[in-house]
Every structure is written in C-alpha cells, then in structure tokens.
Amino acid sequence: MSMKVENQLADRTRWRPEFCSIAKTLDLLSTKTTFLVLRECFYGTSRFEDFVNRIPASAPALSRALKQLESAQIVTRVPYRDPGARARDEYRLTPAGEDLLPVVMSLSLWGNKYIYNGSPPFSFVDARTGQPVRVCVTTDNDVPEAQSSDIEIRANFTLD
Amino acid sequence: MSMKVENQLADRTRWRPEFCSIAKTLDLLSTKTTFLVLRECFYGTSRFEDFVNRIPASAPALSRALKQLESAQIVTRVPYRDPGARARDEYRLTPAGEDLLPVVMSLSLWGNKYIYNGSPPFSFVDARTGQPVRVCVTTDNDVPEAQSSDIEIRANFTLD
DNA sequence: CCGTATCCACAACGATACTG
DNA sequence: CAGTATCGTTGTGGATACGG
C-alpha cells in the first residue's frame, strides 16, 4: 500500500529536500500555532484580539504566526475602521490561503474519526443540504468542490 | 469566505482547545520530521536505514518521530527477516495512517501550485489512466476515492 | 547494521513590559 | 486595544557514543 514510482529517475530523486513540496509547504506553516491561526481564519476570525482569545497561545506567538503567514502570502492585512475608532488592519486569507482548506479539513476530519472515535464535538456539513463534508483524494475531474463558505460547523453536544 | 456557524453554542465553544480536532491531530504529528516520515511511508519506505537516507534529519530525530507515530498508532512495527540476516522490524502504516493520505497529498499539491508555481518536480497521477490526482473538499457521496497504491509519482524533469 | 541514550546548541514559546 | 521587543525557559534537533 504505497505509491508507485514511474522510473529510476523519480526513484533516485523524489526524496531530495529541494524537490520536496511537502517540506517546503511545512516550512511556511512551520509551527502548530500557525496551523491554528489558519484554522481560525477559516472559522471567520480576522482581528488580532480574536485570535488571542480563541487560540491557546500568547500574543507574541500569534503575532509571529501572523507575520509568517503574511510573508508566505497566505494571509493579507486589510484596513478597516470601526465607527468612532481609528483605522486598523484585519487579517484575511488570500486565494492561496483559501486553497489550504483541504489541509485544515483533512486534519480535522482525521481527528474526528481517530481521536474522537467518530463522536466529535463538531461536525462539518454542507450549509444547504446538511450532507457531511468529506475530503477525498481522487482523479475524477468532475467532483463538485466545496468552499469554506459552503460549510457549516455543527455542534454535537449540549451544555447544561 | 469563511465557515458558517450553526448556533450560539457552537459559536461560543468551537475554539476551546479540548474540542479542537486539529490541535489534537497536530499534537500527534507534532513536528516537521514526523510529517516527512509519514511522506516516506506513503512513498513505500519501511526500513530505518531508508528513512535515515531519505529524510534530512538525524537518526535520533527519526527514531523519535517513528516512536511518536507508533504510539499514535499511525505506524506499526512488523517483523521481517532478510535471508541470512537476523530478524528486524520494519515500519508500516496502519489503516489510521493510510487515512492521513489527504493530509500529505493536500500539503504536497498546495506546494506544487504555490511554491513551484505549477511546475513542480514531481506530479501525482492515477497509475492507470495518467489523470492528475486532486484533493477535494466535497459533500458528494459518490466520489471515487484513490488509495496510495493507485497513485504514481511522475518526474517532470530530466538530469543530464 | 539497527536503534537508542546522552549531551549540547538553537529555535519557539510565555511572561512581562513597553509604544502607538 | 493592537501589536512588538526582551528575556528566561522549554522543547526539538544534531553529533557522538554506545549496545543488540
């Protein structure tokens, strides 16, 4: 159960670090905090204060993670101004950032299955049909692809 | 462009660390080296020496990563014996480990697109049809899902 | 050769304090 | 409130050495 290799050339070179797309992508996302910032972006968080409140990491760590994502062009700062307040920036996913949705979703769905053993606190469903969201590896060209805005977060528990 | 939230309950709780499937999964995969070990497993690597030769990390780091993956039940040791040599163990993905394919593939495909700008050193294609492999987030139930053994690694370059 | 323990170096984090 | 600089602490990696 592993991938096939086309030829000797690929066999000899596929592990070279300079050719490894996974290693290079992980360099951009480097730390766990960075992944969690990304998660929050998909959850709709955009302001620094909210990142601080919603991620178990310190403000300096989050500042570093946001800088990192910004320099990787995964996140971009956009100005906003609350009524009566001075202009500030918020952090939004770029199109490249949006394209990381499969990474975030597949990590989450794997944990739902193997850590929460199929009874996760939250599920992701199609906002209109209620169908569960899946991440699949496929060679089919015609798969209807969901965007983050098509996805709804559903709680599977109640609090007292 | 972000996910919707079903209700106030979900809105108040989705960032709590104890409910975060992504954080918990990342705890298991903790480090970049661990991700690269996982990559090698999908590439068919199973012996310690090969991990050492194919991943730019030291033997102790790889030993730690393999232990980590083993305790997370993503990888399992299976005995083997080369003719004339003494019995040893090799490392193989469990079914849970195989289910991390979308994580590995989505990281790789993202890098192929945004780091190599669409001209990556390696592509992943269907071993029979040659169709490019994709990772998609979908709510469709009928998507034909590819396994790692259906995927071929193709080199997009030549050496002198 | 397979793999791990030890030890040192460095990188990332948190607490704190500070500026706009 | 929105960040960032500093600094002590911790965790992760590499070099080395060692045992099965």
Side-chain angles (χ1 to χ4, degrees):
Chain A
M1 288 300 273
S2 65
M3 298 185 194
K4 301 172 189 347
V5 184
E6 182 199 21
N7 59 20
Q8 278 192 358
L9 172 61
D11 202 30
R12 282 204 322 275
T13 57
R14 64 196 149 130
W15 16 77
R16 299 215 185 143
E18 66 271 26
F19 292 159
C20 181
S21 188
I22 299 172
K24 292 188 180 298
T25 303
L26 287 173
D27 282 338
L28 299 183
L29 302 178
S30 57
T31 149
K32 182 183 162 187
T33 303
T34 315
F35 274 90
L36 296 183
V37 168
L38 202 57
R39 175 202 74 180
E40 276 314 308
C41 290
F42 283 112
Y43 282 2
T45 300
S46 64
R47 302 189 178 185
F48 190 80
E49 184 193 14
D50 292 327
F51 287 108
V52 171
N53 290 331
R54 295 167 181 181
I55 298 177
S58 66
L62 293 168
S63 178
R64 286 188 289 258
L66 283 164
K67 264 193 169 23
Q68 167 82 8
L69 288 171
E70 192 186 1
S71 75
Q73 306 193 50
I74 291 168
V75 148
T76 185
R77 295 165 94 113
V78 318
Y80 76 95
R81 179 192 292 266
D82 274 343
R86 84 162 195 281
R88 302 193 181 287
D89 288 337
E90 58 184 7
Y91 303 87
R92 300 210 159 271
L93 292 171
T94 63
E98 289 276 346
D99 263 1
L100 285 166
L101 180 64
V103 174
V104 171
M105 283 299 302
S106 57
L107 284 169
S108 189
L109 293 180
W110 190 90
N112 282 355
K113 183 171 177 182
Y114 291 103
I115 295 176
Y116 291 107
N117 290 310
S119 302
F122 296 100
S123 311
F124 302 97
V125 300
D126 185 291
R128 278 177 316 193
T129 67
Q131 283 289 307
V133 173
R134 304 167 48 220
V135 179
C136 49
V137 178
T138 187
T139 59
D140 193 327
N141 282 322
D142 311 320
V143 181
E145 195 132 16
Q147 307 252 322
S148 58
S149 51
D150 302 325
I151 297 174
E152 181 176 293
I153 305 169
R154 180 163 297 178
N156 298 321
F157 60 93
T158 55
L159 293 181
D160 335 313
Chain B
M1 286 304 270
S2 66
M3 298 186 195
K4 301 175 191 340
V5 185
E6 182 200 19
N7 59 21
Q8 278 194 359
L9 172 63
D11 201 31
R12 282 204 321 274
T13 57
R14 64 195 150 132
W15 16 80
R16 298 215 186 144
E18 66 271 26
F19 293 160
C20 181
S21 187
I22 299 172
K24 291 188 181 298
T25 302
L26 288 172
D27 283 337
L28 300 183
L29 301 178
S30 56
T31 147
K32 183 183 163 186
T33 303
T34 314
F35 274 90
L36 296 184
V37 168
L38 202 57
R39 174 202 75 180
E40 277 313 308
C41 290
F42 283 112
Y43 282 2
T45 301
S46 65
R47 302 188 177 187
F48 190 79
E49 184 192 15
D50 291 328
F51 287 109
V52 172
N53 290 330
R54 295 167 181 180
I55 297 177
S58 66
L62 293 169
S63 178
R64 287 189 289 257
L66 283 164
K67 263 193 171 21
Q68 167 84 8
L69 288 172
E70 192 186 0
S71 75
Q73 305 193 49
I74 291 168
V75 149
T76 184
R77 295 163 95 112
V78 318
Y80 76 95
R81 180 194 291 267
D82 274 344
R86 83 163 197 284
R88 302 194 180 288
D89 288 337
E90 57 184 10
Y91 304 86
R92 298 210 160 273
L93 291 172
T94 63
E98 289 276 347
D99 263 2
L100 285 166
L101 180 63
V103 174
V104 171
M105 283 298 304
S106 57
L107 283 169
S108 188
L109 293 178
W110 189 90
N112 281 356
K113 182 170 177 182
Y114 290 104
I115 295 176
Y116 291 106
N117 291 311
S119 302
F122 296 101
S123 311
F124 302 96
V125 301
D126 185 292
R128 279 176 316 194
T129 67
Q131 284 289 308
V133 173
R134 305 166 49 221
V135 178
C136 50
V137 178
T138 185
T139 59
D140 194 325
N141 282 323
D142 313 319
V143 180
E145 196 132 13
Q147 307 248 320
S148 58
S149 51
D150 303 326
I151 298 174
E152 182 177 293
I153 305 169
R154 181 163 294 179
N156 298 321
F157 60 95
T158 55
L159 293 181
D160 339 313

